Amino acid sequence: MTARRLHRMRQTLERRQPDLQVLLDQVHKPHNLSAILRTCDAVGVPRAHAVSRHQDFTVHRAASSGTGQWVAVETHADLPAAVRAVQGQGMKVYAAHLSEQAVDYRQVDYTKPCCLLLGAEKEGVSEEGAALADGHVIIPMFGLGASLNVSVAAAVILFEAQRQRLAAGQYETPRMAEAEITRTLVEWLHPRIAERCRKEGRPYPALDEDGGVIWTHAPS
């Protein structure tokens, strides 16, 4: 670890957008999941929520080029619980879903707290998901295909959110609390130490200027 790499990680966290998140309902193909997480990292989405029948919610490292580890994934038992968790943080949920109430994805104001709901690869957003969402968005299609791949659709919509937030200056100052930035740096740089601290109920250690661990009390 070098001071330069630590600075880059801190700078990345200072550009994260805590009130811009993604909710994946039954998106289980590893390459799609990994591609979506890679886009999340690129636009500053710090957290994705996932509902899946599969116990092993796997990130395919080859597809994500390692970026999947920089985006937290919070799993939920069912879709209503996931939507409640997101809405409880003050975010509106927009489902990528074709319906009579759907609007062009560019008409949504993504500078406000929001979460993008994406459905399974074949079925798309479920009826339950569509009903729980605060609104529906679509990507206009002018070809013979009816829709885009879920990871491509996620990228299109999230980069529109990035464009709007850049124009609004929302990447210019840190939007994550300093304590959360420091905590995340420890988890990124020293995942084993972070896991041990969580298991033992101890606070995370501090970091020196090169990202090294500074123990206030030596670990047992």
Side-chain angles (χ1 to χ4, degrees):
M1 176 55 59
T2 64
R4 181 177 180 180
R5 181 166 173 77
L6 177 62
H7 173 73
R8 182 182 177 186
M9 286 186 169
R10 170 172 281 277
Q11 188 177 55
T12 295
L13 290 171
E14 290 175 348
R15 292 172 177 168
R16 287 298 201 231
Q17 306 290 300
D19 59 355
L20 177 62
Q21 299 182 17
V22 169
L23 171 51
L24 309 174
D25 183 24
Q26 309 304 331
V27 178
H28 57 81
K29 294 184 178 179
H31 63 278
N32 282 333
L33 171 61
S34 298
I36 292 170
L37 294 182
R38 183 168 184 167
T39 298
C40 286
D41 176 66
V43 304
V45 171
R47 181 176 299 276
H49 300 263
V51 178
S52 177
R53 304 183 191 95
H54 300 257
Q55 292 183 347
D56 183 16
F57 203 69
T58 306
V59 176
H60 194 272
R61 297 299 181 188
S64 63
S65 297
T67 55
Q69 65 183 303
W70 311 126
V71 179
V73 178
E74 182 177 345
T75 58
H76 300 268
D78 55 58
L79 186 56
V83 172
R84 286 195 300 271
V86 170
Q87 292 174 333
Q89 298 176 52
M91 287 180 278
K92 286 191 174 182
V93 176
Y94 293 105
H97 179 65
L98 178 60
S99 70
E100 292 184 358
Q101 71 183 71
V103 299
D104 186 306
Y105 74 101
R106 289 161 292 195
Q107 294 180 19
V108 171
D109 184 358
Y110 299 104
T111 65
K112 296 180 180 178
C114 58
C115 177
L116 174 62
L117 170 60
L118 299 159
E121 285 84 353
K122 291 184 179 180
E123 295 82 8
V125 172
S126 65
E127 291 184 7
E128 181 182 40
L132 290 169
D134 296 293
H136 301 163
V137 298
I138 56 171
I139 300 172
M141 305 289 291
F142 297 100
L144 298 178
S147 63
L148 296 172
N149 169 276
V150 63
S151 64
V152 176
V156 170
I157 298 171
L158 288 176
F159 272 100
E160 169 62 15
Q162 183 203 59
R163 183 193 69 78
Q164 292 185 17
R165 287 179 173 237
L166 278 169
Q170 289 178 278
Y171 289 89
E172 294 177 6
T173 57
R175 307 189 69 232
M176 290 176 65
E178 177 59 31
E180 186 175 3
I181 290 176
T182 301
R183 175 185 59 77
T184 305
L185 283 172
V186 174
E187 293 175 351
W188 282 4
L189 295 172
H190 307 284
R192 293 182 180 178
I193 291 176
E195 182 179 6
R196 181 177 176 183
C197 287
R198 289 194 298 271
K199 287 182 178 179
E200 297 177 358
R202 297 191 293 112
Y204 286 176
L207 298 176
D208 63 24
E209 61 183 11
D210 293 322
V213 170
I214 301 174
W215 290 106
T216 303
H217 301 288
S220 58

mmCIF file of all heavy atoms in Angstrom, residues 101-110 136-140 142 157 160 164:
data_model
loop_
_atom_site.group_PDB
_atom_site.id
_atom_site.type_symbol
_atom_site.label_atom_id
_atom_site.label_comp_id
_atom_site.label_asym_id
_atom_site.label_seq_id
_atom_site.Cartn_x
_atom_site.Cartn_y
_atom_site.Cartn_z
ATOM 1 N N GLN A 101 -47.804 3.666 -17.308
ATOM 2 C CA GLN A 101 -47.337 4.828 -16.545
ATOM 3 C C GLN A 101 -45.850 5.093 -16.725
ATOM 4 O O GLN A 101 -45.323 6.087 -16.213
ATOM 5 C CB GLN A 101 -47.635 4.623 -15.058
ATOM 6 C CG GLN A 101 -46.760 3.554 -14.397
ATOM 7 C CD GLN A 101 -47.113 3.316 -12.958
ATOM 8 O OE1 GLN A 101 -48.157 2.749 -12.642
ATOM 9 N NE2 GLN A 101 -46.238 3.768 -12.059
ATOM 10 N N ALA A 102 -45.172 4.243 -17.475
ATOM 11 C CA ALA A 102 -43.727 4.391 -17.642
ATOM 12 C C ALA A 102 -43.382 5.653 -18.422
ATOM 13 O O ALA A 102 -44.085 6.044 -19.358
ATOM 14 C CB ALA A 102 -43.162 3.166 -18.347
ATOM 15 N N VAL A 103 -42.270 6.288 -18.026
ATOM 16 C CA VAL A 103 -41.782 7.482 -18.718
ATOM 17 C C VAL A 103 -40.372 7.213 -19.245
ATOM 18 O O VAL A 103 -39.688 6.305 -18.784
ATOM 19 C CB VAL A 103 -41.754 8.702 -17.772
ATOM 20 C CG1 VAL A 103 -43.149 9.006 -17.256
ATOM 21 C CG2 VAL A 103 -40.783 8.480 -16.611
ATOM 22 N N ASP A 104 -39.975 7.987 -20.214
ATOM 23 C CA ASP A 104 -38.608 7.921 -20.730
ATOM 24 C C ASP A 104 -37.643 8.087 -19.557
ATOM 25 O O ASP A 104 -37.806 8.991 -18.727
ATOM 26 C CB ASP A 104 -38.401 9.041 -21.751
ATOM 27 C CG ASP A 104 -37.059 8.969 -22.458
ATOM 28 O OD1 ASP A 104 -36.019 8.923 -21.775
ATOM 29 O OD2 ASP A 104 -37.045 8.968 -23.701
ATOM 30 N N TYR A 105 -36.644 7.227 -19.474
ATOM 31 C CA TYR A 105 -35.732 7.242 -18.325
ATOM 32 C C TYR A 105 -35.044 8.585 -18.134
ATOM 33 O O TYR A 105 -34.608 8.927 -17.031
ATOM 34 C CB TYR A 105 -34.691 6.129 -18.471
ATOM 35 C CG TYR A 105 -33.614 6.395 -19.501
ATOM 36 C CD1 TYR A 105 -32.347 6.840 -19.132
ATOM 37 C CD2 TYR A 105 -33.864 6.215 -20.859
ATOM 38 C CE1 TYR A 105 -31.358 7.088 -20.065
ATOM 39 C CE2 TYR A 105 -32.882 6.456 -21.802
ATOM 40 C CZ TYR A 105 -31.634 6.893 -21.410
ATOM 41 O OH TYR A 105 -30.660 7.135 -22.352
ATOM 42 N N ARG A 106 -34.950 9.387 -19.180
ATOM 43 C CA ARG A 106 -34.281 10.687 -19.078
ATOM 44 C C ARG A 106 -35.161 11.758 -18.450
ATOM 45 O O ARG A 106 -34.689 12.855 -18.152
ATOM 46 C CB ARG A 106 -33.825 11.132 -20.477
ATOM 47 C CG ARG A 106 -32.662 10.313 -21.023
ATOM 48 C CD ARG A 106 -32.517 10.440 -22.509
ATOM 49 N NE ARG A 106 -33.624 9.808 -23.225
ATOM 50 C CZ ARG A 106 -33.609 9.520 -24.526
ATOM 51 N NH1 ARG A 106 -32.531 9.809 -25.252
ATOM 52 N NH2 ARG A 106 -34.653 8.954 -25.112
ATOM 53 N N GLN A 107 -36.433 11.440 -18.241
ATOM 54 C CA GLN A 107 -37.350 12.418 -17.650
ATOM 55 C C GLN A 107 -37.342 12.392 -16.121
ATOM 56 O O GLN A 107 -37.928 13.264 -15.485
ATOM 57 C CB GLN A 107 -38.779 12.158 -18.156
ATOM 58 C CG GLN A 107 -38.959 12.399 -19.643
ATOM 59 C CD GLN A 107 -40.381 12.130 -20.103
ATOM 60 O OE1 GLN A 107 -41.307 12.097 -19.297
ATOM 61 N NE2 GLN A 107 -40.554 11.921 -21.397
ATOM 62 N N VAL A 108 -36.691 11.409 -15.546
ATOM 63 C CA VAL A 108 -36.637 11.296 -14.084
ATOM 64 C C VAL A 108 -35.532 12.198 -13.528
ATOM 65 O O VAL A 108 -34.459 12.323 -14.128
ATOM 66 C CB VAL A 108 -36.387 9.830 -13.671
ATOM 67 C CG1 VAL A 108 -36.100 9.724 -12.171
ATOM 68 C CG2 VAL A 108 -37.590 8.974 -14.040
ATOM 69 N N ASP A 109 -35.777 12.804 -12.383
ATOM 70 C CA ASP A 109 -34.771 13.623 -11.706
ATOM 71 C C ASP A 109 -33.956 12.729 -10.772
ATOM 72 O O ASP A 109 -34.362 12.431 -9.657
ATOM 73 C CB ASP A 109 -35.444 14.738 -10.909
ATOM 74 C CG ASP A 109 -34.439 15.674 -10.255
ATOM 75 O OD1 ASP A 109 -33.218 15.435 -10.391
ATOM 76 O OD2 ASP A 109 -34.875 16.645 -9.600
ATOM 77 N N TYR A 110 -32.783 12.305 -11.254
ATOM 78 C CA TYR A 110 -31.932 11.408 -10.473
ATOM 79 C C TYR A 110 -31.042 12.151 -9.486
ATOM 80 O O TYR A 110 -30.264 11.521 -8.769
ATOM 81 C CB TYR A 110 -31.053 10.571 -11.402
ATOM 82 C CG TYR A 110 -31.831 9.686 -12.354
ATOM 83 C CD1 TYR A 110 -31.961 10.035 -13.695
ATOM 84 C CD2 TYR A 110 -32.427 8.504 -11.921
ATOM 85 C CE1 TYR A 110 -32.672 9.242 -14.583
ATOM 86 C CE2 TYR A 110 -33.135 7.703 -12.797
ATOM 87 C CZ TYR A 110 -33.254 8.079 -14.128
ATOM 88 O OH TYR A 110 -33.964 7.290 -14.995
ATOM 89 N N HIS A 136 -42.149 4.041 -12.963
ATOM 90 C CA HIS A 136 -41.573 3.140 -13.964
ATOM 91 C C HIS A 136 -40.841 3.948 -15.026
ATOM 92 O O HIS A 136 -41.303 5.030 -15.419
ATOM 93 C CB HIS A 136 -42.671 2.307 -14.638
ATOM 94 C CG HIS A 136 -43.469 1.472 -13.698
ATOM 95 N ND1 HIS A 136 -44.689 0.927 -14.029
ATOM 96 C CD2 HIS A 136 -43.228 1.074 -12.415
ATOM 97 C CE1 HIS A 136 -45.171 0.232 -13.012
ATOM 98 N NE2 HIS A 136 -44.297 0.317 -12.007
ATOM 99 N N VAL A 137 -39.714 3.433 -15.475
ATOM 100 C CA VAL A 137 -38.959 4.088 -16.535
ATOM 101 C C VAL A 137 -38.691 3.092 -17.660
ATOM 102 O O VAL A 137 -38.598 1.886 -17.424
ATOM 103 C CB VAL A 137 -37.618 4.658 -16.023
ATOM 104 C CG1 VAL A 137 -37.865 5.726 -14.971
ATOM 105 C CG2 VAL A 137 -36.719 3.563 -15.465
ATOM 106 N N ILE A 138 -38.583 3.613 -18.880
ATOM 107 C CA ILE A 138 -38.270 2.774 -20.031
ATOM 108 C C ILE A 138 -37.156 3.419 -20.849
ATOM 109 O O ILE A 138 -36.961 4.636 -20.809
ATOM 110 C CB ILE A 138 -39.494 2.557 -20.937
ATOM 111 C CG1 ILE A 138 -40.076 3.907 -21.401
ATOM 112 C CG2 ILE A 138 -40.554 1.720 -20.238
ATOM 113 C CD1 ILE A 138 -41.147 3.762 -22.476
ATOM 114 N N ILE A 139 -36.434 2.577 -21.566
ATOM 115 C CA ILE A 139 -35.439 3.040 -22.533
ATOM 116 C C ILE A 139 -36.060 2.865 -23.914
ATOM 117 O O ILE A 139 -36.359 1.738 -24.317
ATOM 118 C CB ILE A 139 -34.143 2.218 -22.431
ATOM 119 C CG1 ILE A 139 -33.541 2.352 -21.025
ATOM 120 C CG2 ILE A 139 -33.132 2.668 -23.483
ATOM 121 C CD1 ILE A 139 -32.367 1.428 -20.772
ATOM 122 N N PRO A 140 -36.311 3.957 -24.643
ATOM 123 C CA PRO A 140 -36.956 3.835 -25.953
ATOM 124 C C PRO A 140 -36.154 2.924 -26.890
ATOM 125 O O PRO A 140 -34.932 3.021 -26.965
ATOM 126 C CB PRO A 140 -36.979 5.277 -26.471
ATOM 127 C CG PRO A 140 -36.954 6.112 -25.230
ATOM 128 C CD PRO A 140 -36.073 5.366 -24.282
ATOM 129 N N PHE A 142 -35.847 1.429 -30.887
ATOM 130 C CA PHE A 142 -36.243 1.695 -32.267
ATOM 131 C C PHE A 142 -35.833 0.558 -33.216
ATOM 132 O O PHE A 142 -35.892 0.712 -34.432
ATOM 133 C CB PHE A 142 -35.634 3.018 -32.739
ATOM 134 C CG PHE A 142 -36.125 4.199 -31.955
ATOM 135 C CD1 PHE A 142 -35.353 4.748 -30.945
ATOM 136 C CD2 PHE A 142 -37.367 4.748 -32.201
ATOM 137 C CE1 PHE A 142 -35.808 5.830 -30.202
ATOM 138 C CE2 PHE A 142 -37.841 5.829 -31.468
ATOM 139 C CZ PHE A 142 -37.056 6.365 -30.467
ATOM 140 N N ILE A 157 -29.145 3.710 -17.784
ATOM 141 C CA ILE A 157 -29.886 4.537 -16.823
ATOM 142 C C ILE A 157 -28.960 5.151 -15.775
ATOM 143 O O ILE A 157 -29.079 6.338 -15.432
ATOM 144 C CB ILE A 157 -30.999 3.709 -16.152
ATOM 145 C CG1 ILE A 157 -32.001 3.237 -17.207
ATOM 146 C CG2 ILE A 157 -31.719 4.544 -15.082
ATOM 147 C CD1 ILE A 157 -33.020 2.243 -16.690
ATOM 148 N N GLU A 160 -27.041 8.079 -17.034
ATOM 149 C CA GLU A 160 -27.882 9.273 -17.099
ATOM 150 C C GLU A 160 -27.960 9.909 -15.710
ATOM 151 O O GLU A 160 -27.907 11.146 -15.574
ATOM 152 C CB GLU A 160 -29.280 8.915 -17.594
ATOM 153 C CG GLU A 160 -30.321 10.022 -17.448
ATOM 154 C CD GLU A 160 -30.017 11.285 -18.236
ATOM 155 O OE1 GLU A 160 -29.141 11.246 -19.137
ATOM 156 O OE2 GLU A 160 -30.650 12.322 -17.964
ATOM 157 N N GLN A 164 -26.672 13.764 -14.730
ATOM 158 C CA GLN A 164 -27.458 14.766 -14.013
ATOM 159 C C GLN A 164 -26.762 15.217 -12.730
ATOM 160 O O GLN A 164 -26.747 16.407 -12.401
ATOM 161 C CB GLN A 164 -28.843 14.202 -13.688
ATOM 162 C CG GLN A 164 -29.736 13.974 -14.896
ATOM 163 C CD GLN A 164 -31.125 13.525 -14.498
ATOM 164 O OE1 GLN A 164 -31.538 13.668 -13.338
ATOM 165 N NE2 GLN A 164 -31.882 12.982 -15.438
#
